[in-house]
Amino acid sequence: MTRMPVVFAALLLSTALPTTGHSATNIPSLDEAAGRYAVTPSSDIDFAIDQIGGGGIRGKFGTFSGTFDLKPGDLAHSMVNFTLKPASVSTGQGRIDAFLRSAAVFDAADYNVISFKSDRVVQTGPETARVSGILTAKGRSNPESFDVKLANWNGKAIGFDVTGKILRSHYAMDVGEPIYSNVVQFNMMIEGRRA
Amino acid sequence: MSRQSASAYDPLTILLHWLIAAIILGQIVLGFVMTRPSIDPALQFSLFQWHKSFGMLVLVLAALRLLHSLIRVRVAPAPGASRLEYMAARFVHAALLALALVVPFAGWMIASVSPLNIPTFAFNLVVVPDLPFAKSDFAEDVWTTVHTVLAYTMLALVLLHSGAALYHHYRRHDGVLQRMLRLRRSPAETPVTEVPTKEL
């Protein structure tokens, strides 16, 4: 359950723009979307972990913050910084939440923040990009990547659908394997407002 | 008894008896340890899964024992035992076998009705499906109580059963314990009435 940030907004922009405005999304022009954004509380940080036999655990993080700089003409230097509070995890089951916060998983008492800092953004399509960076959770840091897709843009706010798979074993959170998958699937909607 | 009595237990009965006994005792210890409030959560999760795995194994072994007990030749009553003693022994043996089935079943019910919805993946080899009952905290609490009370009831019967076996061995010297231990070289040919020999 590591979470990541994401925001790669930048990417899209750059990409999207130069190409065409064919999608339903109102693709911003480079100049128009360039700038610094703050992640809004209305963003969704959802995750899912499959379990043996079908189904699994689905949850979300309620407390997070982040910023990203979009440099449409220089996508590679667009930056994303994101942090979330693992204690804000919510699965709809109090006992599972308590377990996730415990030393068995997040150890939220000793590591109260999970962070992601991008170091590279690569455009992968007209409206998509891949943001790579370092994810730090429970005292472990590993390179991770997220796929970002431009979802909306209205001149002030920009939204991205962000997905990524994280191996919890890399963060000393592999309790419960193999009943629960090692893979944590993140499905996030990151919205940014001009800072 | 309509069936002819045997003077010794067959190997499968003896094997199942001790295998089930060992697992049940281990399960009671495990069940106690894993439910201590101060236990490390990751260790607790792991112990619960082992407990569920061995519980399913006991259920299978006890079912096998039940089926086998229905077809095997019954062993003769302990020599010198009164009818009351014989009936008491029969009752305790039946209760132990019933609990060896019901206690793991109640445990399976806990896993099945718990809203935590944690799969039972026995020994990380076999996914045991949940029994088809509605999940709720209430149902989980009820079955947890049933499971716990019956498990400790079984422990009490195990102690009674063990005490009786030791009584037969040390006071009655009637070979009742040996016939389940199979210490004689040729149990089938050795009358249970024979006084235990030193070689034991």
Side-chain angles (χ1 to χ4, degrees), chain B residues 95-107:
Chain B
L96 283 170
L97 180 50
L99 287 169
L101 289 162
V102 174
V103 173
F105 176 82

Side-chain angles (χ1 to χ4, degrees), chain B residues 36-50:
Chain B
R36 294 310 90 198
S38 59
I39 191 172
D40 172 77
L43 174 64
Q44 181 178 48
F45 182 91
S46 179
L47 294 183
F48 261 82
Q49 307 322 309
W50 280 111

Side-chain angles (χ1 to χ4, degrees), chain A:
Chain A
M1 328 224 142
T2 52
R3 209 353 349 15
M4 358 299 246
V6 167
V7 184
F8 356 29
L11 7 100
L12 349 72
L13 314 155
S14 31
T15 28
L17 317 165
T19 48
T20 72
H22 68 286
S23 82
T25 302
N26 179 12
I27 299 173
S29 73
L30 295 186
D31 294 339
E32 193 183 348
R36 182 175 175 80
Y37 295 78
V39 174
T40 69
S42 60
S43 300
D44 290 318
I45 312 298
D46 297 346
F47 66 88
I49 300 170
D50 290 342
Q51 67 186 32
I52 193 106
I57 293 175
R58 295 179 184 284
K60 58 172 48 209
F61 292 96
T63 304
F64 48 82
S65 64
T67 60
F68 52 90
D69 286 315
L70 294 188
K71 297 178 181 177
D74 185 16
L75 192 58
H77 289 101
S78 292
M79 291 283 295
V80 177
N81 276 293
F82 189 87
T83 61
L84 66 77
K85 300 280 191 182
S88 70
V89 68
S90 171
T91 63
Q93 229 307 331
R95 282 181 284 167
I96 292 179
D97 295 349
F99 186 78
L100 294 177
R101 292 179 189 119
S102 78
V105 187
F106 295 131
D107 194 3
D110 292 319
Y111 303 97
N112 65 352
V113 169
I114 291 175
S115 66
F116 177 80
K117 184 175 177 60
S118 74
D119 56 24
R120 196 156 61 100
V121 177
V122 176
Q123 185 170 344
T124 54
E127 298 178 23
T128 60
R130 190 166 181 80
V131 176
S132 301
I134 300 297
L135 178 67
T136 300
K138 206 179 184 180
R140 278 83 172 170
S141 294
N142 294 288
E144 304 288 0
S145 295
F146 294 89
D147 289 313
V148 179
K149 185 177 190 306
L150 178 63
N152 57 71
W153 160 252
N154 63 13
K156 291 180 180 175
I158 192 163
F160 300 99
D161 291 326
V162 182
T163 58
K165 296 180 192 297
I166 304 297
L167 297 183
R168 56 201 179 91
S169 58
H170 290 173
Y171 301 88
M173 298 180 187
D174 50 335
V175 62
E177 281 191 85
I179 291 176
Y180 294 102
S181 172
N182 186 19
V183 178
V184 181
Q185 172 72 52
F186 281 95
N187 292 297
M188 302 175 275
M189 192 291 287
I190 300 291
E191 184 188 65
R193 285 196 169 274
R194 286 191 185 280

